[in-house]
């Protein structure tokens, strides 16, 4: 899918980047589940670089306590639906791409419809329970997902694409005991959301996953990145099941 | 033997660090698992989301050796 004259001008700086595949990016479809601290940042960068089709899924409305980190939204947006607002902001930034709005929560019932036709899922969720549901969908439908999570001074990132990799349930199969609300300041989801977008772009354009079977941990208090490797867990309740036969990249 | 237990987030205060802000020195024997060692310092393992040693994930049944640092990850689930 060739770029128009205005797209060539808009994207001229990234077209200078080695291995940049503009057509592949324009033809890609990415589902971003949750457009708050993490998903709002990753969606903004994916939109800006011209991922051709974004599907934004979020059932929440903007609250005042979101505004310390969710920079797509303003004080005047309080009470309004996040997914539609995010789409409006991103369309204003880059009118060349198509954005679909889903103001529903991802559930097992609507998962197939929401993820249909997508090349990749970005995790912008705010709890482990929903991430495990996303992991199930990702595995069942053969769509890789980029995991991100934050708490206090720590952020985490990984790429799950079983059976090529382990899945989230191999690593953390059960609900996590963390206090709510999550302690968080805005720059940390900014870092992790940006890393999710970067990883997504690399995968979409090259098919490469540079953090296979690895969890990247960012310690914001010491400015240290740490990589911890893991393996598929025999008997995993998700990817230990029969492998789906659908298409994979 | 001596091992080092390192933790951040909500786990940091629970391990009662004594080496630096994040690390506690623990004397143990080579037969104890991480789960047993954590119980020995009165830390409920259910608060630990992930355990890693030398860059690799381990579970509560892992038996550390002398001088190793056991890193405990707290639950990280926000967005």
């Amino acid at each position: 899918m060739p770029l128009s004259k205005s797209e060539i001008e808009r994207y001229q700086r990234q077209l200078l980047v080695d291995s940049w595949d503009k057509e592949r990016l324009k033809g890609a479809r990415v589902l971003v589940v949750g457009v708050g601290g993490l998903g709002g940042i990753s969606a903004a960068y994916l939109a800006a670089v011209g991922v051709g089709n974004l599907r934004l899924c979020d059932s929440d409305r903007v609250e005042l306590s979101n505004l310390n980190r969710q920079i797509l939204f303003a004080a005047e947006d309080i009470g309004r639906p996040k997914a539609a607002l995010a789409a409006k902001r991103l369309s204003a930034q880059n009118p060349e791409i198509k954005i679909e709005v889903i103001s529903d929560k991802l559930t097992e019932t609507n998962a197939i419809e929401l993820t249909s036709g997508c090349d990749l899922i970005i995790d912008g969720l705010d709890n482990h329970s929903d991430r495990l549901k996303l992991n199930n969908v990702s595995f069942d439908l053969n769509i890789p997902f980029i995991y991100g999570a934050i708490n206090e001074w720590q952020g985490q990132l990984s790429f799950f694409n079983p059976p090529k990799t382990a899945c989230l349930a191999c690593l953390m199969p059960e609900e996590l005991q963390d206090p709510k609300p999550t302690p968080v300041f805005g720059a940390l989801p900014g870092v992790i959301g940006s890393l999710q977008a970067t990883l997504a772009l690399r995968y979409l354009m090259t098919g490469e996953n540079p953090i296979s079977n690895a969890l990247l941990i960012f310690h914001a208090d010491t400015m240290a990145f740490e990589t911890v490797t893991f393996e598929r867990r025999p008997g995993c309740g998700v990817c230990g099941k029969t492998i789906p036969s659908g298409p994979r990249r | 033997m001596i091992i080092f237990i390192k933790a951040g987030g909500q786990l940091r205060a629970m391990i009662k660090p004594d080496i630096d802000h994040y690390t506690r020195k623990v004397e143990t024997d080579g037969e104890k698992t991480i789960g047993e060692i954590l119980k020995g310092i009165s830390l409920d393992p259910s608060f630990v989301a992930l355990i890693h040693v030398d860059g690799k994930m381990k579970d509560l049944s892992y038996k550390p050796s002398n001088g190793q640092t056991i890193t405990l990850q707290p639950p990280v689930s926000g967005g």
Side-chain angles (χ1 to χ4, degrees), chain A residues 7-47:
Chain A
E7 285 175 310
I8 290 170
E9 185 175 351
R10 171 181 290 269
Y11 303 135
Q12 60 171 297
R13 296 293 290 272
Q14 68 201 38
L15 295 177
L16 301 172
V17 174
D18 181 42
S19 305
W20 199 263
D21 190 332
K22 54 190 184 299
E23 281 89 10
R24 206 158 174 181
L25 218 52
K26 188 173 179 179
R29 185 182 306 275
V30 176
L31 170 65
V32 181
V33 187
V35 291
L38 290 172
I41 293 293
S42 51
Y45 280 118
L46 295 179

Side-chain angles (χ1 to χ4, degrees), chain A residues 36-38 69 125-128 131 147-152 154 156 171-172 176-180 182 189 215 217 219 221-222 226-230, chain B residues 6-12 14 21-22 44-59 69 71-79:
Chain A
L38 290 172
R69 63 196 184 280
L125 291 164
D126 62 2
N127 67 86
H128 192 64
R131 286 193 177 96
Y147 160 86
I150 51 168
N151 187 301
E152 214 173 42
Q154 189 180 112
Q156 298 179 344
L171 196 59
M172 291 176 274
L176 298 176
Q177 287 193 38
D178 52 340
K180 298 291 181 187
T182 300
L215 184 72
I217 302 171
H219 301 277
D221 49 354
T222 56
E226 183 176 25
T227 301
V228 181
T229 60
F230 54 86
Chain B
K6 188 175 174 185
Q10 68 189 71
L11 292 175
R12 193 191 64 76
M14 293 183 190
H21 194 58
Y22 304 95
D44 180 351
S46 68
F47 288 108
V48 179
L50 296 168
I51 300 164
H52 52 96
V53 180
D54 298 330
K56 292 185 177 165
M57 290 295 175
K58 302 292 179 187
D59 60 29
T69 297
T71 304
L72 310 177
Q73 295 293 339
V76 173
S77 68

Side-chain angles (χ1 to χ4, degrees), chain B residues 5-76:
Chain B
I5 297 181
K6 188 175 174 185
Q10 68 189 71
L11 292 175
R12 193 191 64 76
M14 293 183 190
I15 65 165
K16 301 182 179 71
D18 57 9
I19 298 282
D20 58 28
H21 194 58
Y22 304 95
T23 314
R24 172 171 174 173
K25 183 168 81 174
V26 175
E27 197 163 342
T28 182
D29 63 61
E31 294 306 306
K32 284 209 170 77
T33 65
I34 292 176
E36 290 165 341
I37 293 167
L38 295 184
K39 282 179 186 164
I41 62 167
S42 303
L43 176 61
D44 180 351
S46 68
F47 288 108
V48 179
L50 296 168
I51 300 164
H52 52 96
V53 180
D54 298 330
K56 292 185 177 165
M57 290 295 175
K58 302 292 179 187
D59 60 29
L60 291 166
S61 66
Y62 178 75
K63 292 180 180 175
S65 42
N66 189 38
Q68 278 190 317
T69 297
I70 314 304
T71 304
L72 310 177
Q73 295 293 339
V76 173

Side-chain angles (χ1 to χ4, degrees), chain A residues 183-204:
Chain A
V184 59
F185 63 98
L188 184 60
V191 171
I192 300 301
S194 297
L195 289 172
Q196 288 179 286
T198 306
L199 187 54
L201 292 172
R202 190 70 196 168
Y203 173 74
L204 290 170

